[in-house]
Amino acid sequence: MKVATCNFCRRSFRNTQTVRAHLKACPAYGRLPKATLPTVGNKPRTVGAPDSDPGVRSPWEDVRPTPPRPQPARIVAGTGQTANLSGLARWMIQSVKEEVIGSWWSPGHTIPSETKAQALVAIDQGLSRLPVDQLPRTELVTIAEGIRDPIYRPVIQEEERRRQHARQRTTLIAAGVTYANRALRQRHDLDSWTRLDLEQKVKRAIEQAIDGSESEVDMRALVDSLVAQHLEPLDRKRRETARPKLIAHAVAYLRLQLAAEDDLDARERLSIERDVKRDLEDAVTGEESTGDVEAFVDEVLDGLRGEIEEEEEDDEWEDEDDGEEDSEGDEDEESEED
């Protein structure tokens, strides 16, 4: 069975009888005041023409048909696509899309394929609603660019934001590395190889830690933390090595000071040395200098001297009190004798 097509809405049907029945509800045909019937089969049929059945008379045979008015291209409902576009119009639309999308290029920007596809569909839909063959090509290109730009703009802005973020990150990393190297060079206790190794480690840590959103103050605080973190093992080892040496130096200094005290016997010197050494082991961390531990020893000795002086003063007061009591007792005995 040969398929028949409605020339108004372009729908296909099983046969011509189905097309005739469809015309009663065809929206495209209904918009025409007097329209020709669709061409079905091999012979077109118009209003007023006799039915193929000679025994049936058409109710329209006395009506004079009116020539159809030229209609612009129409959008098929629900699809956004055009119907009855001429070959020239379709060629014009494709040419404009090729110029606006296919040949578009911007330095440093890459448009994803899905964004291009979205723009192509939007331009095709927008231009298909217009009398393309009646408009200048420059105007069509301008219209297409106006459809394309709002679709491309968010992609370009996001790409530019990422590039700005990357540039900011690169600048912060360079400034952070310079700041860290300056801090490491101020550590005079580091030899050249150790400082160079630390500079490389801190640089890698800065590159991993900075994401580009930090401020200058945040960057400096971050670098200070990273430098201290990488110096901690060296500082801990240095403290562990320096601490016993400082304690030994302080004990030797204490012995010299105690040797100058003539009023102390050997037992008292050993007791003081034992107490001061215990205080040194509790207080010294390894960060101090030799002058710091000597000052600590002097402070402890001054405290001990003060305690000794107070004890001596207490002893003197006790002796005086005992003497007064003895004198009072003698006086009482003399008065009793009298």
Side-chain angles (χ1 to χ4, degrees), residues 6 148 198 238 330:
C6 175
R148 175 203 65 195
L198 284 174
R238 178 180 54 80
D330 294 339

Side-chain angles (χ1 to χ4, degrees), residues 55-214:
V56 180
R57 292 178 58 84
S58 173
W60 298 338
E61 61 182 7
D62 295 330
V63 180
R64 188 179 185 85
T66 303
R69 293 178 298 175
Q71 297 292 321
R74 297 182 301 279
I75 305 297
V76 178
T79 64
Q81 300 298 324
T82 61
N84 298 333
L85 279 178
S86 66
L88 177 61
R90 175 52 57 189
W91 179 87
M92 287 289 292
I93 292 175
Q94 295 298 332
S95 176
V96 170
K97 288 194 297 184
E98 175 62 26
E99 178 176 345
V100 174
I101 302 297
S103 300
W104 181 88
W105 178 79
S106 179
H109 294 103
T110 303
I111 304 299
S113 56
E114 58 270 18
T115 305
K116 290 183 179 180
Q118 181 183 355
L120 286 170
V121 172
I123 292 173
D124 190 89
Q125 293 177 353
L127 296 184
S128 298
R129 296 185 178 96
L130 304 175
V132 177
D133 49 358
Q134 300 176 18
L135 296 175
R137 176 182 173 80
T138 54
E139 184 174 346
L140 294 176
V141 171
T142 302
I143 294 172
E145 290 174 345
I147 298 172
R148 175 203 65 195
D149 291 346
I151 299 174
Y152 277 18
R153 188 176 300 116
V155 177
I156 295 175
Q157 290 175 346
E158 176 62 20
E159 189 173 7
E160 186 61 31
R161 188 195 65 81
R162 288 197 301 267
R163 291 184 178 180
Q164 178 63 27
H165 188 81
R167 288 193 292 268
Q168 177 68 11
R169 179 176 179 272
T170 302
T171 302
L172 284 173
I173 289 175
V177 170
T178 301
Y179 180 73
N181 292 345
R182 188 183 304 117
L184 291 173
R185 291 190 181 98
Q186 293 175 356
R187 292 289 300 263
H188 302 294
D189 56 324
L190 301 176
D191 58 78
S192 300
W193 288 107
T194 302
R195 185 172 62 250
L196 180 61
D197 181 62
L198 284 174
E199 288 177 357
Q200 296 299 320
K201 291 180 178 178
V202 171
K203 179 181 178 181
R204 289 193 293 268
I206 291 174
E207 292 173 346
Q208 294 176 359
I210 290 181
D211 60 10
S213 61
E214 298 85 358

Side-chain angles (χ1 to χ4, degrees), residues 243 247 274-286 288 296:
R243 184 173 177 273
I247 293 175
R274 183 177 61 253
D275 293 340
V276 173
K277 185 176 181 181
R278 186 184 305 113
D279 292 339
L280 287 169
E281 290 175 347
D282 293 338
V284 174
T285 63
E288 300 83 2
F296 180 82

Side-chain angles (χ1 to χ4, degrees), residues 9-56:
C9 66
R10 310 305 300 171
R11 291 182 58 185
S12 299
F13 298 88
R14 296 176 58 187
N15 50 46
T16 58
Q17 296 298 329
T18 309
V19 174
R20 294 192 188 98
H22 157 73
L23 288 177
K24 296 179 181 180
C26 180
Y29 178 78
R31 287 194 294 268
L32 299 177
K34 299 296 181 180
T36 59
L37 292 176
T39 300
V40 294
N42 295 327
K43 295 181 180 181
R45 188 158 183 250
T46 60
V47 175
D51 195 273
S52 58
D53 188 353
V56 180

